[in-house]
Amino acid sequence: MNRSPLAILAFLLAAVSLVLPTGADGSGILLVSAPAILFAAAAVALFVAPSMAALIALLVLVHIGAFCLIGALSSFAPTGPSSGYWCLVVAAWLLAWLAVQRLASLRFRSPDIQRLANLALPVLFGAWLLILWEITVRGFSVPTILLPPPSMIAARIASSVPTLWADFQQTFLKAAIAGYAIGCGSGFLAAIVVDRVPFLRKGLLPIGNLVAALPVVGIAPIMVMWFGSYWESKAAVVVIMTFFPMLVNTVAGLAASGAMERDLMRTYGASYFQTLLKLRLPAAMPFIFNALKINSTLALIGAIVAEFFGSPIVGMGFRISMEVGRMNVDMVWAEIFVAALAGSLSYGLITLIERAVTFWHPSYRT
Amino acid sequence: MNFIRNSVVPVATVLLAIVMLWYAFAIILNAPFERDQAARAGTTISTGQLIANTMKQERPVLPAPHQVAEEIRKTVFDVSPTSKRSLVYHGWVTLSSTLLGFALGTLLGIVLAIAIVHSRTLDKSLMPWIITSQTVPILAIAPMIIVVLNAVNITGLLPKAMISTYLSFFPVAVGMVKGLRSPEIMHLDLMRTYNASKAQIFWKLRWPASMPYLFTSMKIAVAISLVGAIVGELPTGAVAGIGARLLAGSYYGQTVQIWAALIAAALMASVLVSLIGLMANLVNRRMGVRA
């Protein structure tokens, strides 16, 4: 049987931790059970033939072990845990890594289960990132200003939902979405005009490409000066930031339909608008969606950064810059979490729409 | 001849149109202030005088192009490059952290890409998170990183460079994963029949094959590094750098200064991007790729 060096190392570490001091005040139930559970997990990894059941047992044991380790954190003296505890942490981490490795190498016959496994891998990775973050920050008592533990951030999110919602409304629902819609819409219309006039295409495209690489966020202070500090100025920044990626991508997309297909449309006697609607716009959709995806990130960044230059007393950018000044880092992380969630969800939403619209594209055909 | 007809003339025309529009907007946007002034003084102002006045306001709503050019000339050539009023000094502060962050980010991106290409576990578990990290407005963390690192006595170049690193590693990592996987299966099989080791496959096939991808993503990365460095300068209380110029300008209503800093940043970005393009051309020629 193939014995992974990771499992052997984890087994040895769990054994060593029994003789080393853990640095605990008393001996809580959690601290006693952690090595036992990890021993069991290592034994499963070492001696049970690799199978689905063994893998699930390993995963369950490792996570119970991690839960015990986190729970035990509060039982330590002010000096913090010592070597025995850290041996256990490393052992748990190695076993989790081993489990992820085994899960990654498995091939399932049913595509649904395979999809589930593919989803589980990044989720496990993320979960262990959080677990190790929590344990390291609290175990080494890193100052919370530098890096608050995830539990503290979660508590802060739970306790200040109304504030977060108001900020989200101001920055995302008002500024970012309005700017995104106007910027993408006008970029799209401009692209159709530019595409109609070859001279403009030759002249505007190199400049558009250049502007797409420029630090457009810098325009924020000017927009705040022109449109005031309410959400309109943030939307204006977003409009300018999203306009050029949309323009460049749409023009490229309109050129994407093949000459053969265009000739076919001509033999049908199709008018310009018929060709545009029935052939060239559908062919341009993958490019347009690419721009929509890029812009969804840019819109949020633009709206938040523009608030650094002046805003009413609500908004994600305002909250971030204010709470940083007051050293309430957990609140900043809470805002970042909201921003990350909003960014990922809108990206995911656009991807879903893209799938529905460009179902014919090779990358979605199975 | 074709080059001139197909790109120089159209681009020049569009640029000219932009400058003319800029002047037109400068007149329109700055005129209300002049009319207001005239009305307060109890005089009427002729159209010619009005237009002339809008070109030389102290704090215009939109400065005319020549005012911005004059400000750039003054702050670049008339003051010594070490002075705090020199645009060269501020530009250098931004440029140095951009370059440091860009170098670190590119290195990190390449290392991550190599690890991902060679480990199935990492590919399946880490890659989705790298993609997700793109959808997160990273720039929003920029001020926090700066202030927090300042609080633990890490100051100067490094915090700003870290933001640039964070922003620039992503395009490089994604591009390089694609690039390192770009060799065809036939070529990989050929290497295997030669009994090539993993390291040999990497250095003789994967690495050369990934070069076009590397340079394309480096162009994106250097542009975004500059943005990161500029935003990173905002929360430090406007000490030095292009971002500080922007913030100070917005505090004191110095629009000409803001526009000068913006143009300087734009110039810097285009120079950096074209430098990478030049490097790509050199490497391509060394590797025998025909342009």
Side-chain angles (χ1 to χ4, degrees):
Chain A
M1 198 167 71
N2 174 23
R3 285 202 181 122
S4 156
L6 285 179
I8 298 172
L9 196 59
F11 194 81
L12 290 178
L13 280 171
V16 166
S17 76
L18 290 179
V19 289
L20 288 174
T22 57
D25 262 348
S27 52
I29 175 77
L30 290 171
L31 207 52
V32 177
S33 49
I37 291 164
L38 288 176
F39 254 127
V44 167
L46 274 178
F47 303 117
V48 180
S51 67
M52 201 56 214
L55 183 60
I56 289 175
L58 180 61
L59 278 174
V60 169
L61 282 173
V62 160
H63 286 95
I64 295 176
F67 176 76
C68 291
L69 285 173
I70 291 178
L73 270 173
S74 52
S75 66
F76 290 113
T79 46
S82 59
S83 49
Y85 180 80
W86 293 115
C87 282
L88 284 176
V89 171
V90 174
W93 180 46
L94 288 175
L95 287 169
W97 183 254
L98 183 75
V100 170
Q101 217 173 32
R102 286 201 178 158
L103 190 59
S105 63
L106 280 182
R107 291 282 186 288
F108 297 94
R109 235 170 276 141
S110 149
D112 285 335
I113 299 182
Q114 182 68 54
R115 209 172 296 146
L116 205 66
N118 283 345
L119 193 69
L121 284 167
V123 169
L124 282 175
F125 190 89
W128 272 87
L129 212 63
L130 287 182
I131 291 172
L132 289 178
W133 176 357
E134 176 88 26
I135 290 180
T136 336
V137 167
R138 283 176 61 191
F140 286 114
S141 34
V142 176
T144 49
I145 286 181
L146 196 58
L147 193 64
S151 55
M152 190 173 158
I153 299 168
R156 172 61 85 157
I157 291 174
S159 69
S160 48
V161 169
T163 319
L164 290 172
W165 172 246
D167 292 345
F168 176 76
Q169 229 176 354
Q170 170 78 12
T171 304
F172 189 82
L173 295 184
K174 284 186 192 160
I177 287 194
Y180 181 77
I182 298 173
C184 290
S186 53
F188 179 76
L189 292 180
I192 287 176
V193 173
V194 165
D195 179 71
R196 197 81 219 257
V197 188
F199 186 78
L200 269 185
R201 189 166 59 213
K202 282 178 203 149
L204 210 55
L205 263 201
I207 294 173
N209 274 321
L210 180 71
V211 174
L214 293 185
V216 187
V217 213
I219 206 98
I222 295 165
M223 290 299 132
V224 171
M225 238 173 243
W226 286 4
F227 294 99
S229 60
Y230 286 95
W231 63 270
E232 292 88 348
S233 59
K234 283 80 200 172
V237 175
V238 176
V239 168
I240 295 173
M241 279 178 88
T242 53
F243 178 82
F244 284 99
M246 193 65 187
L247 174 72
V248 172
N249 272 291
T250 310
V251 170
L254 286 174
S257 58
M260 288 272 274
E261 289 128 6
R262 260 182 266 182
D263 278 348
L264 184 66
M265 291 306 272
R266 215 165 297 142
T267 56
Y268 289 159
S271 69
Y272 167 78
F273 282 102
Q274 280 173 323
T275 317
L276 186 70
L277 280 181
K278 306 210 159 150
L279 170 66
R280 300 178 65 210
L281 276 183
M285 277 305 154
F287 292 81
I288 294 173
F289 272 101
N290 189 27
L292 285 176
K293 281 186 198 165
I294 300 174
N295 282 345
S296 74
T297 322
L298 285 180
L300 205 47
I301 291 179
I304 292 179
V305 172
E307 284 180 3
F308 295 160
F309 288 97
S311 67
I313 51 160
V314 63
M316 294 164 86
F318 164 77
R319 193 77 53 202
I320 287 175
S321 58
M322 189 187 74
E323 299 292 342
V324 159
R326 292 162 60 184
M327 290 292 164
N328 281 339
V329 183
D330 52 342
M331 188 63 195
V332 179
W333 278 95
E335 291 284 354
I336 288 167
F337 175 79
V338 173
L341 198 66
S344 310
L345 284 184
S346 37
Y347 193 90
L349 185 69
I350 295 170
T351 313
L352 278 183
I353 300 174
E354 180 184 18
R355 244 168 227 233
V357 173
T358 62
F359 57 91
W360 45 269
H361 196 259
S363 58
Y364 293 121
R365 277 197 305 235
T366 43
Chain B
M1 254 349 258
N2 251 342
F3 173 72
I4 291 181
R5 206 176 55 222
N6 278 334
S7 61
V8 175
V9 173
V11 171
T13 314
V14 171
L15 277 180
L16 195 69
I18 290 176
V19 171
M20 276 162 60
L21 267 180
W22 188 343
Y23 268 114
F25 271 104
I27 292 170
I28 295 168
L29 289 171
N30 296 338
F33 175 77
E34 288 301 329
R35 281 209 197 91
D36 196 38
Q37 287 287 79
R40 256 183 228 176
T43 54
T44 46
I45 190 165
S46 71
T47 316
Q49 187 60 39
L50 179 80
I51 291 175
N53 278 356
T54 55
M55 296 284 121
K56 51 182 193 231
Q57 285 180 6
E58 184 83 357
R59 289 176 185 183
V61 180
L62 177 65
H66 68 262
Q67 280 180 301
V68 177
E70 168 64 19
E71 166 82 8
I72 291 180
R73 194 193 61 74
K74 212 169 62 195
T75 47
V76 170
F77 297 110
D78 287 2
V79 283
S80 88
T82 49
S83 148
K84 284 225 162 187
R85 286 172 53 214
S86 164
L87 202 56
V88 179
Y89 166 77
H90 290 287
W92 170 246
V93 169
T94 304
L95 186 66
S96 52
S97 69
T98 303
L99 289 181
L100 181 64
F102 170 64
L104 290 176
T106 308
L107 208 66
L108 179 67
I110 293 175
V111 168
L112 273 179
I114 294 173
I116 285 173
V117 167
H118 287 100
S119 154
R120 197 180 146 74
T121 316
L122 273 183
D123 175 31
K124 289 222 155 178
S125 54
L126 181 59
M127 199 57 191
W129 284 107
I130 292 188
I131 303 275
T132 317
S133 83
Q134 188 207 21
T135 69
V136 174
I138 305 290
L139 274 178
I141 324 181
M144 194 191 59
I145 295 177
I146 302 278
V147 171
V148 157
L149 287 179
N150 274 337
V152 290
N153 279 326
I154 303 174
T155 51
L157 205 55
L158 201 63
K160 271 190 289 169
M162 273 173 70
I163 292 165
S164 297
T165 307
Y166 206 122
L167 286 168
S168 58
F169 98 94
F170 172 77
V172 175
V174 172
M176 279 304 273
V177 166
K178 223 177 203 171
L180 291 173
R181 288 214 177 112
S182 65
E184 289 163 39
I185 298 185
M186 289 270 276
H187 296 162
L188 285 169
D189 279 347
L190 183 66
M191 290 305 269
R192 225 161 282 144
T193 56
Y194 289 159
N195 195 22
S197 68
K198 264 197 167 178
Q200 281 172 321
I201 293 181
F202 178 78
W203 285 116
K204 303 201 167 178
L205 179 60
R206 285 188 191 275
W207 181 253
S210 68
M211 278 305 115
Y213 294 85
L214 177 65
F215 284 110
T216 312
S217 35
M218 268 165 73
K219 276 188 203 168
I220 304 172
V222 80
I224 206 167
S225 293
L226 184 62
V227 177
I230 290 176
V231 174
E233 282 157 357
L234 295 182
T236 45
V239 183
I242 300 273
R245 286 291 270 197
L246 288 178
L247 196 63
S250 90
Y251 278 161
Y252 303 117
Q254 299 284 0
T255 33
V256 182
Q257 183 187 325
I258 298 181
W259 279 96
L262 265 183
I263 301 281
L267 281 179
M268 214 154 40
S270 43
V271 166
L272 285 175
V273 171
S274 38
L275 271 184
I276 306 266
L278 217 62
M279 249 161 71
N281 280 347
L282 277 180
V283 170
N284 278 346
R285 212 169 298 153
R286 281 282 314 266
M287 289 183 11
V289 178
R290 290 223 186 100

